[in-house]
Amino acid sequence: MRIGIDIGGTNTDAVLMDGDRVVASHKSPTTASVGEGVERAIREVLDIAGVDGEVVRRVVLGTTHFTNAVVQRRGLDRVCAIRLGAPASRAFPPFSIWPDDLADATRGSVALLPGGVNFDGSPITALDEAALRTAADRAVADGLTSIALTSVFAPLSSDNETLARDVMAAQQPTLSFSLSSDIGNLGVLERENATILNACLASTAVEVMKSIESALTRVGVDCPFYLSQNDGTLMSADFAARFPVRTFASGPTNSIRGAGFLAGVEDALVVDIGGTTTDVGALRRGFPRESANTTELAGLRTNFRMPDLVSIGVGGGSIVSLDASPIAIGPRSVARELRTRARVFGGDTLTVTDLAVAAGRLSVGTPSLVAALDPELVARATSRIQELVERAVDAMRLAADAVPVVLVGGGAPLVGPDAFAGQTVLRPDHADVANAVGSAIAYAGGESDRIYDLDGLSREEAVQLAEDEARRQCVHAGAEAGTVEIVEVDALPLTYLPGQSVRIRVKAAGPPAA
């Protein structure tokens, strides 16, 4: 059996699965401690199923912990940000376009050093190994442990970054490194931002992995554990400790994958109504469609892979004001305090959950506590919620394809049976824990996103190189060697570069080794 857990901002969901069957599920308020929440979730599903931890062969977790750390500016490492490309790119040094409070929380030191390549692959300047060793010494002297290395045009050639890392690591072995070529795509500032974000989470990532490992030991589960990535695949604990930014938006991704699995479809629009937000995404060939645009997190532009989502501030914990005109719904939420602040649980805050109970769409808490609500106002409010969700679905639809709409999440009953007129609407069993199911069913994943010059090799050779790299990444992420399959290949000619340059992106996936 295997356990899937999704730690959201409001609730922590867990499922115990035997093959394709959900044996037990549980939903509880999210705790401040990741380890405590994991321990509680595992104990609950094992108790419900009446089995012990020895039957569990794999645990997969999705968590918002790293996203929340950045958003709340909490527990972040100060980073030594090094850009290789001087004298080019001096106009916008690292951290120059960051929100002030986030920069204050993460900026340790900055160095613009020689290195990098031009758009044709020729070197801008040669690496200065002496300067790199000096930067490593200075970082340690300043009490810094995390280095973010970004080279100009690293997607074209990552050699500068790997050599710089080797030089600095030999000088100061205690340093940890994040390389932009492992994280982002074209666009040096956005790629650098993503790399610094990864670097500032280095210590937190190690602590989280240790807390999860300790939680599994306490509940008697002796098996590998994995974390969900934001492309619908999973990664080993060691891999996750190196790349915590790959967990960003893994919650909605898990829901999209889990919704498709539970509904038995590979192409759909998925509506996940949680406690704080409603996220709408597209499922294509069993995986979430990725965003083609630069993404923004906590006021910072980045360009690492993220699912294509439309999110609105409507969820089960959204605060409602019936006295406002028009009726105000969200975006403020009681979040994980839902079971103490919502009226149906004896609180004094009117939430969307209270409306759903008053309208007869949801059966939780004590319905008599909301029986006095004006039925007309409740009807208008629930109609408004449904309208907002329908608009989000329309915004996600890119074509007139007749794909079904799959409703999941604990707040799915908020949408009435008359929603999405003329479209097929699926409400699968276990929809309230689709995110945890998405974690449990995930395969390990690997990706290659590089620029190749076809003047020196054929297109087929370039694709083969990209596929080989994606397979290696997949095995490093935890897949069993020999079982990895290529699930997606994209080749984009770059006409603005000299010669026959092409950007090849390959995604691979395979079952975990354990």
Side-chain angles (χ1 to χ4, degrees):
M1 295 185 179
R2 61 192 188 277
I3 290 177
I5 301 173
D6 188 89
I7 306 171
T10 302
N11 293 309
T12 293
D13 298 337
V15 295
L16 177 67
M17 297 188 68
D18 185 1
D20 291 344
R21 183 171 62 93
V22 177
V23 178
S25 65
H26 180 71
K27 183 184 292 284
S28 61
T30 293
T31 60
S33 166
V34 173
E36 179 185 341
V38 169
E39 180 179 354
R40 178 187 299 178
I42 294 177
R43 287 191 188 280
E44 291 290 347
V45 293
L46 292 178
D47 287 347
I48 292 170
V51 298
D52 58 34
E54 293 181 357
V55 304
V56 181
R57 293 291 177 265
R58 182 165 77 241
V59 176
V60 186
L61 305 101
T63 178
T64 60
H65 188 84
F66 301 115
T67 306
N68 293 340
V70 173
V71 171
Q72 299 170 13
R73 280 61 164 153
R74 171 177 49 82
L76 304 178
D77 291 344
R78 295 192 178 277
V79 176
C80 171
I82 296 178
R83 187 189 300 165
L84 306 174
S89 76
R90 288 187 178 275
F92 292 95
F95 297 104
S96 60
I97 57 174
W98 282 51
D100 291 341
D101 58 343
L102 184 56
D104 291 343
T106 58
R107 180 170 44 211
S109 62
V110 171
L112 277 73
L113 303 179
V117 297
N118 293 300
F119 59 83
D120 61 354
S122 61
I124 297 174
T125 50
L127 279 180
D128 186 337
E129 296 190 11
L132 289 167
R133 285 189 283 268
T134 299
D137 292 338
R138 184 177 299 122
V140 172
D142 292 341
L144 307 178
T145 60
S146 192
I147 310 293
L149 275 169
T150 304
S151 175
V152 175
F153 267 104
L156 187 63
S157 173
S158 60
D159 293 347
N160 274 218
E161 291 183 354
T162 55
L163 179 56
R165 176 199 60 198
D166 293 344
V167 170
M168 296 183 72
Q171 182 72 10
Q172 293 290 349
T174 60
L175 294 173
S176 65
F177 296 86
S178 295
L179 274 58
S180 79
S181 54
D182 292 331
I183 294 170
N185 301 319
L186 289 174
V188 63
L189 294 180
E190 290 82 4
R191 186 173 72 253
E192 181 177 69
N193 291 343
T195 306
I196 295 174
L197 284 180
N198 192 76
C200 77
L201 292 166
S203 296
T204 298
V206 172
E207 292 173 3
V208 168
M209 300 309 138
K210 288 181 179 178
S211 69
I212 295 172
E213 186 175 4
S214 297
L216 296 183
T217 300
R218 290 194 297 271
V219 296
V221 173
D222 183 17
C223 68
F225 71 90
Y226 303 83
L227 267 73
S228 300
Q229 300 191 76
N230 51 20
D231 66 347
T233 61
L234 55 78
M235 52 186 169
S236 66
D238 290 342
F239 199 84
R242 290 179 54 206
F243 301 110
V245 293
R246 296 195 178 186
T247 67
F248 290 1
S250 61
T253 299
N254 287 337
S255 294
I256 294 170
R257 286 269 292 154
F261 175 83
L262 292 171
V265 295
E266 289 197 337
D267 296 280
L269 294 174
V270 176
V271 180
D272 175 24
I273 306 179
T276 305
T277 62
T278 292
D279 299 311
V280 182
L283 185 71
R284 292 292 181 266
R285 298 189 297 275
F287 286 90
R289 184 176 70 207
E290 290 187 17
S291 174
N293 302 318
T294 297
T295 54
E296 185 172 305
L297 177 69
L300 188 64
R301 288 168 59 88
T302 63
N303 67 354
F304 57 88
R305 67 188 186 201
M306 292 281 276
D308 191 6
L309 296 173
V310 173
S311 298
I312 57 176
V314 175
S318 296
I319 298 173
V320 178
S321 176
L322 295 178
D323 297 331
S325 182
I327 293 172
I329 300 169
R332 291 189 304 121
S333 171
V334 297
R336 64 186 184 190
E337 297 176 339
L338 177 67
R339 293 184 178 273
T340 58
R341 293 182 60 187
R343 289 191 186 180
V344 292
F345 296 111
D348 58 3
T349 304
L350 183 64
T351 68
V352 166
T353 294
D354 298 316
L355 296 180
V357 173
R361 294 181 178 179
L362 197 61
S363 179
V364 296
T366 306
S368 61
L369 295 176
V370 293
L373 291 176
D374 185 339
E376 182 180 349
L377 288 177
V378 170
R380 284 168 50 195
T382 53
S383 176
R384 175 61 176 162
I385 292 170
Q386 186 162 301
E387 178 186 350
L388 292 171
V389 173
E390 288 175 333
R391 286 183 181 178
V393 169
D394 288 340
M396 176 54 56
R397 192 184 303 276
L398 295 183
D401 299 340
V403 296
V405 176
V406 184
L407 284 173
V408 297
L414 297 174
V415 177
D418 59 336
F420 314 107
Q423 302 177 53
T424 301
V425 179
L426 305 176
R427 302 171 186 260
D429 293 337
H430 307 294
D432 60 325
V433 289
N435 45 9
V437 172
S439 290
I441 66 170
Y443 274 12
E447 186 179 51
S448 172
D449 191 347
R450 301 287 187 203
I451 299 172
Y452 295 90
D453 183 359
L454 299 187
D455 287 339
L457 72 167
S458 68
R459 184 182 185 280
E460 291 73 20
E461 290 172 331
V463 170
Q464 186 62 55
L465 288 173
E467 290 183 352
D468 290 344
E469 181 182 2
R471 287 191 176 94
R472 285 194 299 271
Q473 289 285 343
C474 191
V475 172
H476 291 162
E480 184 176 353
T483 65
V484 177
E485 296 183 0
I486 302 299
V487 298
E488 188 174 339
V489 178
D490 289 323
L492 176 66
L494 302 179
T495 56
Y496 55 87
L497 294 184
Q500 300 183 63
S501 296
V502 60
R503 177 183 176 185
I504 299 177
R505 177 180 169 277
V506 176
K507 181 186 290 186

